[in-house]
Amino acid sequence: MLLSIKNLHASVQGKEILNGVNLEVNRGEVHAIMGPNGTGKSTLASVIAGREVFEMTSGEILYKGKNLQKLSVEERAREGIFLGFQYPVEIPGVSITNFMRTAVNEIRKYKGLDALSASEFIKMMEEKKKLVEITSNLTNRSVNEGFSGGEKKKNEIFQMAMLEPMLAILDETDSGLDIDALRIVANGVNKLRRPDNAFVVITHYQRLLDYIIPDYVHVLFEGKIVKSGGKELALELEERGYDWIKKEQVE
Amino acid sequence: METTVQQSITLERMVHLFESNRQVLASNDTALLSEIRDKAFILFGKLGFPDTKMEAWRHTDLKDSLERGYDYYLHPLPEEDVQKVFRCNIPHLDTAIIGQLNGWYVSKEVPLMELGNGIIMGSLAEAKKKYPALVDKYYSRATGDTAEVFTAMNTAFAQDGIFIYVPAGVKSTKPVQLINVIHHYENLFLQSRNLIVIGDNASLSLVHCDDSYNQQASFSNIVTEIFLGENAFLDHYKLQNLNNNSTLISTVYFQLEAAANLESHYLSLNGGLLRNNIRVLFNGTHGNADIYGLYLMDRRQHIDNHVFVDHASPDCTSNEIFKGILDENAHGVFNGHVLVRRNSTGTDARQTNKNILLTDTARVNSKPFLEIYNDDVKCSHGSTTGQLDSEALFYLRQRGIGEESARMLLMFAFANEIVGKIAIPQLRQRIEDMVKKRLQGELQICEQCVLHCSTPEQPVEFKIDMSKI
């Protein structure tokens, strides 16, 4: 098992957002987490990534059998957890090249590997750019600065390709994308799928799941996963909306 | 007579010093300069030293600096170890170098260099003797009637400094590096005066370094007048890397004639108390002045940038961007004053001051200020002070970058907006490295640094290659 979340409770500034999430993700799987706005989807992603503003009040998260709570944000990342941001942050003055070179080499150092030479690194960047179909010269620009919504999301996928995570959580990577950008993002994910890694795709819409076929679909509602199923659950949600799930909960 | 006894800087001491040494002070003066000196002395006496009740000095308290005991000399000190002192070298930068030791021009064998293309540079004291008409034409013309005590004191007391003259139409090909090193085994109070004239359609690239050699306390009062003729261009760099016991009051007057273009970069990397008075006067239409500042301060260091831009002519543009990172108990002051006069239509003036405070005890007083007497203008000003962006920190760390490295990347990125504007590639590289090293001061882990200095073995100091002098 790659990720095992048991009875996870988490709050931000004293307000409980997650109240008892259970989720198990195995290597080689793609999970989709769906649900209406404000039910804790992004919070779940942030808690797994270790963002300090979210407080884990009870439960446990095991990743590769290790208790994640003891690891810092960067240690989790070096262990292979990647978070694709819903709103990628603009960082003026830091070039994507320097950003990625630093990240790749810090992760390599953590694993006891030598730093990549400049030429090895550039070669790697070119390969990954091709993989995620980035044709423009994003790499010499400051991280996300002045990028369009689509460019920012493609840049997230590019970074994911560079860092080769074991567990990638994509937080509404599809939001604000036109159909071409959506296809590029989805293709990137599909090309990076391997038997030993896993993806958790957070999305509002079925649309993305036409391109990234999930093994499991979960519905997160009021801080809990209330329904799980196969890919057909996503279609049902698309057709019927979330109201019937809300009703089921009340009953 | 001269004082070598360590004394505080007081009005009484200075009045006595002037009255007993007037002949020595004025020994190289023309009749006009002598008159200017006497007038300045009277003004100095009237103004006296400032205290924090005065608006211009509200956030910069000079009391401790003035009260220390200092030597004051009326002649240059022996230069037995000049070779050791001038360590300021920017690798691979081909410059013409002018050295100043404790405010005095260094090379006595060649007090004034006269180059083939008509450029004159060297000692101002010598220029007064050799080119009296030229000096008379400009000296104290940019300072004007400014009722500013340190300018008045400087005009009353200054004996030497640097003179640079670039004749009309001459484009200086090499950057000129002007290095003032403070080096003395006792506390030292010094004053020097620089006069730089760039003729019509002429251009100059000037790198002006203030450096100190040891940890001895010093008080420097340096006034520089820079004249840019019509359509002249000056690329100006002020590098300040002084010890923590030094006080530097640097006042630069830029006077721009029509269509003159000024790019000025103030890079303050270290110092005890630094006060930069930067005054720009647009004396003709269609001038442009870009003034950039970067200051990285820690411990109890104090930096005060006072910028006054006088849009006295129509259709001129000015842009100020000052950025600072303050750590520990450092204190930053920014005071930007743009004056747009009644007839100055078509003015475009911008002011920005951004600060990052790394601790709760670091402080900033920022006051961008526009004074506009005209409707046909485009003006903007802004000031921000805060911590490093926590969203950006999380983003970097989520990619596996350690917290300290992430902080350093963000700080460097912040500083690099200013560093990136340095037009001389070798200088930019050098400053980039110095900024990186300076930022590591917070972290003290050079081996693990992510910023990839090109010269990690070199300590942080300005260095000069004596062979080029």
Side-chain angles (χ1 to χ4, degrees):
Chain A
M1 179 127 10
L2 189 60
L3 179 73
S4 164
I5 298 176
K6 289 200 180 95
N7 190 32
L8 173 65
H9 289 250
S11 59
V12 59
Q13 292 167 333
K15 192 187 168 209
E16 186 160 80
I17 311 273
L18 299 179
N19 51 38
V21 173
N22 293 293
L23 179 67
E24 297 200 332
V25 178
N26 289 298
R27 291 180 191 272
E29 293 176 351
V30 173
H31 290 244
I33 296 181
M34 303 183 74
N37 273 328
T39 57
K41 298 191 299 295
S42 290
T43 300
L44 179 61
S46 294
V47 171
I48 298 170
R51 184 146 203 198
E52 286 99 340
V53 292
F54 295 96
E55 197 194 346
M56 218 175 117
T57 48
S58 67
E60 79 175 354
I61 308 177
L62 296 178
Y63 169 74
K64 294 197 286 194
K66 285 182 204 167
N67 184 351
L68 265 192
Q69 222 181 337
K70 295 193 181 104
L71 300 185
S72 67
V73 176
E74 53 268 36
E75 284 167 333
R76 294 178 199 209
R78 293 166 189 168
E79 286 286 346
I81 294 178
F82 178 90
L83 174 62
F85 282 61
Q86 185 177 0
Y87 303 107
V89 184
E90 297 195 10
I91 310 180
V94 176
S95 71
I96 292 175
T97 305
N98 196 21
F99 173 39
M100 278 294 107
R101 183 154 73 125
T102 305
V104 166
N105 283 335
E106 289 214 14
I107 291 170
R108 289 180 67 89
K109 193 165 129 198
Y110 182 80
K111 292 178 176 167
L113 301 170
D114 287 339
L116 288 182
S117 71
S119 63
E120 286 169 325
F121 178 77
I122 288 165
K123 204 174 139 220
M124 180 184 178
M125 287 239 299
E126 288 308 313
E127 283 170 11
K128 305 293 182 178
K129 264 172 76 175
K130 216 173 280 169
L131 182 77
V132 297
E133 299 171 55
I134 291 182
T135 44
S136 60
N137 194 9
L138 289 181
T139 45
N140 286 332
R141 289 162 64 182
S142 290
V143 179
N144 294 323
E145 191 185 29
F147 285 22
S148 69
E151 282 177 326
K152 282 181 181 169
K153 296 298 174 75
K154 274 196 260 179
N155 189 27
E156 293 294 287
I157 301 302
F158 166 69
Q159 291 173 41
M160 182 169 76
M162 290 293 291
L163 303 178
E164 298 179 326
M166 279 296 123
L167 174 67
I169 304 156
L170 303 179
D171 188 4
E172 301 206 14
T173 301
D174 54 333
S175 66
L177 293 189
D178 61 32
I179 203 73
D180 290 334
L182 188 72
R183 192 186 46 76
I184 288 171
V185 164
N187 279 349
V189 172
N190 289 331
K191 284 179 190 163
L192 295 168
R193 282 184 76 165
R194 293 195 317 249
D196 63 337
N197 67 13
F199 291 82
V200 174
V201 180
I202 294 171
T203 182
H204 261 313
Y205 308 106
Q206 149 67 20
R207 198 174 61 148
L208 178 67
L209 304 179
D210 289 339
Y211 298 92
I212 303 172
I213 311 295
D215 299 299
Y216 300 95
V217 175
H218 310 276
V219 179
L220 190 68
F221 182 69
E222 291 183 346
K224 256 186 206 163
I225 287 178
V226 296
K227 201 168 191 67
S228 296
K231 59 179 187 240
E232 63 286 346
L233 178 57
L235 292 168
E236 194 176 355
L237 290 168
E238 179 79 357
E239 217 169 277
R240 299 174 63 192
Y242 290 105
D243 284 351
W244 62 283
I245 293 201
K246 289 179 192 170
K247 273 185 201 138
E248 266 186 16
Q249 286 305 300
V250 176
E251 287 155 18
Chain B
M1 194 204 94
E2 83 183 32
T3 46
T4 52
V5 189
Q6 301 262 305
Q7 281 181 37
S8 298
I9 303 172
T10 60
L11 194 58
E12 295 70 37
R13 176 193 187 182
M14 298 317 289
V15 167
H16 177 71
L17 187 69
F18 186 90
E19 285 172 347
S20 17
N21 297 284
R22 201 199 159 282
Q23 290 304 320
V24 181
L25 291 170
S27 54
N28 295 314
D29 286 359
T30 62
L32 178 66
L33 263 51
S34 181
E35 197 182 304
I36 289 171
R37 187 183 293 279
D38 289 341
K39 271 191 193 156
F41 175 67
I42 292 165
L43 178 62
F44 163 64
K46 273 188 203 155
L47 294 169
F49 289 107
D51 58 41
T52 52
K53 290 185 196 100
M54 298 168 68
E55 182 57 31
W57 295 91
R58 203 146 71 93
H59 300 294
T60 297
D61 191 350
L62 290 175
K63 193 165 166 283
D64 292 348
S65 292
L66 292 169
E67 276 178 2
R68 270 195 197 121
Y70 300 95
D71 285 349
Y72 192 90
Y73 289 96
L74 299 166
H75 61 76
L77 292 161
E79 296 167 10
E80 84 281 2
D81 48 7
V82 163
Q83 293 280 345
K84 263 199 292 175
V85 172
F86 283 85
R87 299 175 298 175
C88 187
N89 180 26
I90 293 159
H92 320 300
L93 177 58
D94 185 16
T95 57
I97 287 170
I98 310 178
Q100 247 181 313
L101 183 61
N102 299 325
W104 301 84
Y105 177 75
V106 169
S107 179
K108 282 287 157 284
E109 306 81 58
V110 196
L112 214 49
M113 294 178 267
E114 288 155 60
L115 309 181
N117 51 12
I119 293 177
I120 304 166
M121 52 190 190
S123 156
L124 178 61
E126 184 70 14
K128 287 184 201 173
K129 289 187 279 183
K130 213 160 171 196
Y131 298 98
L134 195 54
V135 175
D136 272 359
K137 188 175 168 193
Y138 292 100
Y139 194 89
S140 269
R141 295 304 158 104
T143 61
D145 306 324
T146 319
E148 204 282 311
V149 61
F150 287 99
T151 299
M153 179 166 69
N154 183 285
T155 307
F157 286 88
Q159 293 166 273
D160 196 13
I162 300 302
F163 175 72
I164 300 175
Y165 175 72
V166 184
V170 173
K171 313 266 186 229
S172 165
T173 48
K174 278 187 194 182
V176 173
Q177 197 181 354
L178 203 172
I179 301 152
N180 183 26
V181 176
I182 300 169
H183 176 42
H184 189 39
Y185 296 104
E186 301 291 341
N187 292 354
L188 185 68
F189 169 31
L190 62 99
Q191 305 196 67
S192 76
R193 179 69 164 238
N194 306 308
L195 178 61
I196 294 159
V197 178
I198 305 162
D200 295 349
N201 301 305
S203 73
L204 177 68
S205 175
L206 179 68
V207 183
H208 190 172
C209 310
D210 289 303
D211 199 3
S212 55
Y213 180 70
N214 57 25
Q215 293 301 314
Q216 204 68 44
S218 61
F219 191 110
S220 312
N221 177 28
I222 298 173
V223 172
T224 304
E225 291 179 276
I226 303 182
F227 295 86
L228 284 83
E230 282 184 20
N231 200 35
F233 174 65
L234 171 64
D235 193 20
H236 175 253
Y237 301 88
K238 198 91 179 68
L239 273 52
Q240 296 168 332
N241 193 29
L242 291 153
N243 71 40
N244 295 320
N245 302 311
S246 53
T247 301
L248 169 64
I249 316 271
S250 160
T251 308
V252 181
Y253 293 83
F254 297 98
Q255 185 167 313
L256 282 73
E257 299 306 320
N261 186 11
L262 167 68
E263 297 275 325
S264 184
H265 312 251
Y266 276 75
L267 305 159
S268 308
L269 299 181
N270 209 69
L273 187 156
L274 300 175
R275 163 76 171 228
N276 287 311
N277 294 315
I278 303 160
R279 302 180 68 100
V280 178
L281 170 66
F282 287 110
N283 206 37
T285 62
H286 297 94
N288 173 62
D290 295 322
I291 307 153
Y292 307 117
L294 175 66
Y295 42 99
L296 309 174
M297 298 282 126
D298 61 8
R299 286 169 275 198
R300 301 202 150 276
Q301 297 175 350
H302 183 98
I303 173 92
D304 179 350
N305 285 304
H306 256 67
V307 191
F308 174 61
V309 179
D310 187 348
H311 278 268
S313 304
D315 300 315
C316 293
T317 52
S318 68
N319 184 22
E320 291 165 42
I321 307 175
F322 278 73
K323 296 180 94 170
I325 301 177
L326 298 112
D327 197 6
E328 296 171 336
N329 298 299
H331 186 190
V333 182
F334 174 78
N335 190 306
H337 179 184
V338 170
L339 170 62
V340 182
R341 294 184 190 264
R342 197 170 308 279
N343 297 320
S344 300
T345 51
T347 293
D348 187 337
R350 291 158 211 279
Q351 274 181 323
T352 309
N353 177 226
K354 288 183 181 169
N355 299 285
I356 290 178
L357 303 182
L358 297 175
T359 62
D360 293 342
T361 45
R363 283 185 298 151
V364 165
N365 297 98
S366 179
K367 189 183 167 196
F369 174 53
L370 301 167
E371 188 183 354
I372 304 168
Y373 298 98
N374 188 317
D375 290 335
D376 177 25
V377 296
K378 266 195 275 180
C379 290
S380 69
H381 64 161
S383 170
T384 60
T385 296
Q387 280 78 44
L388 287 173
D389 180 356
S390 64
E391 290 278 330
L393 266 178
F394 176 62
Y395 191 71
L396 294 171
R397 292 174 66 201
Q398 209 298 308
R399 300 305 186 236
I401 298 172
E403 184 171 4
E404 296 202 331
S405 299
R407 291 174 69 84
M408 197 136 74
L409 271 178
L410 290 181
M411 285 192 284
F412 182 68
F414 177 83
N416 207 38
E417 185 189 352
I418 303 299
V419 177
K421 293 190 186 296
I422 297 174
I424 306 169
Q426 299 89 335
L427 180 65
R428 186 170 60 239
Q429 183 64 52
R430 182 83 181 116
I431 297 299
E432 230 182 82
D433 284 352
M434 291 182 71
V435 168
K436 286 171 183 174
K437 282 181 196 140
R438 187 73 174 83
L439 293 176
Q440 283 160 28
E442 199 207 21
L443 306 172
Q444 294 167 343
I445 317 168
C446 200
E447 308 78 61
Q448 292 172 16
C449 172
V450 297
L451 295 172
H452 317 297
C453 286
S454 62
T455 55
E457 72 289 350
Q458 287 183 15
V460 178
E461 59 200 12
F462 294 110
K463 290 192 168 179
I464 195 168
D465 183 354
M466 213 32 209
S467 65
K468 288 177 184 158
I469 291 189

